């Protein structure tokens, strides 16, 4: 196994940021060696983690997305993949940690694509000033886990209001201690049964909100099949995990 090499360590008001290199991979870590992102440096649009693959898969449910907003940039692998594989004309990101875009561009292969713009600050504060988009990705994590704000009804409603007609909200959520989808009851309060999710082995649970319209799984399967040779992997195993609350009794999810 290749040696682990520390490429960078910086401190800001939110804690420590590290970039670690192991062979062809570089890892972004926060705090006490909490792994936030993994980048395959020969191809920074390669998605190593299932949760990022699942977020890309859900984006394929939109027939023709032209705009995207990423709340939480990380190393930028997901934004790289979306710029490469989706017909986006414009993309933007809000990142809390001011140094991270520079670090990601210098050391983690973040795309220099002119379609991508980045603003630094608190996503909850800056969201209302953003234009409406076709795709809104929420991935707000600290070294302690998912941000509390992305579990609140008010924030989720504000995210939904940022969508164009037919737009999709895609959230990297987490499992509660009992294995259920974190904030399931809040999601149901805000979106009724108009959302789906995929529970993943890493405890990530990726949520798709489509304004009450469930994804066309046949169409999605066809798109997944067509894109697999270009991606270098299949998203079908993730689609097989899809769960839709509209198809199960409400009592199954009571705590």
């Amino acid at each position: 196994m290749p040696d682990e090499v520390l490429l960078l360590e910086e401190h800001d008001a939110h804690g420590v940021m590290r970039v670690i290199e192991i062979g062809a991979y570089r890892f972004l870590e926060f705090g006490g060696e909490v792994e936030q992102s993994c980048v395959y440096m020969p191809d920074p649009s390669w998605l190593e983690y299932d949760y990022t693959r699942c977020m890309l898969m859900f984006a394929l449910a939109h027939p023709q997305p032209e705009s995207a907003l990423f709340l939480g940039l990380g190393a930028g692998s997901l934004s790289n993949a979306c710029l490469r594989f989706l017909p986006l004309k414009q993309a933007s990101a809000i990142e809390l940690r001011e140094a991270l875009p520079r670090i990601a561009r210098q050391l983690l292969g973040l795309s220099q694509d002119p379609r991508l713009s980045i603003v630094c600050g608190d996503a909850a504060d800056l969201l209302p000033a953003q234009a409406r988009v076709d795709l809104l990705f929420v991935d707000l994590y600290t070294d302690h886990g998912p941000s509390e704000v992305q579990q609140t009804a008010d924030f989720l409603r504000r995210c939904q209001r940022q969508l164009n007609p037919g737009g999709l909200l895609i959230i990297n959520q987490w499992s509660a201690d009992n294995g259920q989808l974190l904030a399931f009851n809040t999601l149901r309060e805000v979106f009724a049964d108009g959302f789906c999710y995929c529970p993943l082995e890493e405890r990530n649970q990726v949520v798709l909100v489509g304004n009450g319209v469930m994804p066309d799984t046949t169409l999605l399967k066809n798109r997944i099949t067509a894109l697999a040779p270009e991606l270098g992997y299949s998203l079908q195993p993730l689609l097989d995990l899809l769960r839709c609350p509209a198809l199960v009794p409400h009592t199954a999810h009571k705590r």
Side-chain angles (χ1 to χ4, degrees), residues 227-245:
L227 192 58
E230 192 173 358
L231 286 174
Y233 49 83
S234 174
L235 299 171
Q236 183 61 47
L238 300 174
L239 183 60
D240 293 339
L241 299 174
L242 186 68
R243 298 182 183 178
C244 296

Side-chain angles (χ1 to χ4, degrees), residues 3 14 21 68 77 106 145 149 157 177 193 201 222-223 236:
D3 292 336
H14 304 285
E21 182 176 74
S77 297
Q106 290 178 353
V149 72
R157 290 189 180 99
D177 291 339
D193 289 334
E201 291 184 358
N222 290 339
R223 289 184 169 179
Q236 183 61 47

Side-chain angles (χ1 to χ4, degrees), residues 8 47 72 77 80 92 128 137 142-143 145-146 155 193 201-202 218:
L8 173 140
L47 298 178
S77 297
N80 286 347
S92 55
F137 299 90
T142 70
D143 55 338
F155 181 73
D193 289 334
E201 291 184 358
E202 302 92 340
T218 300

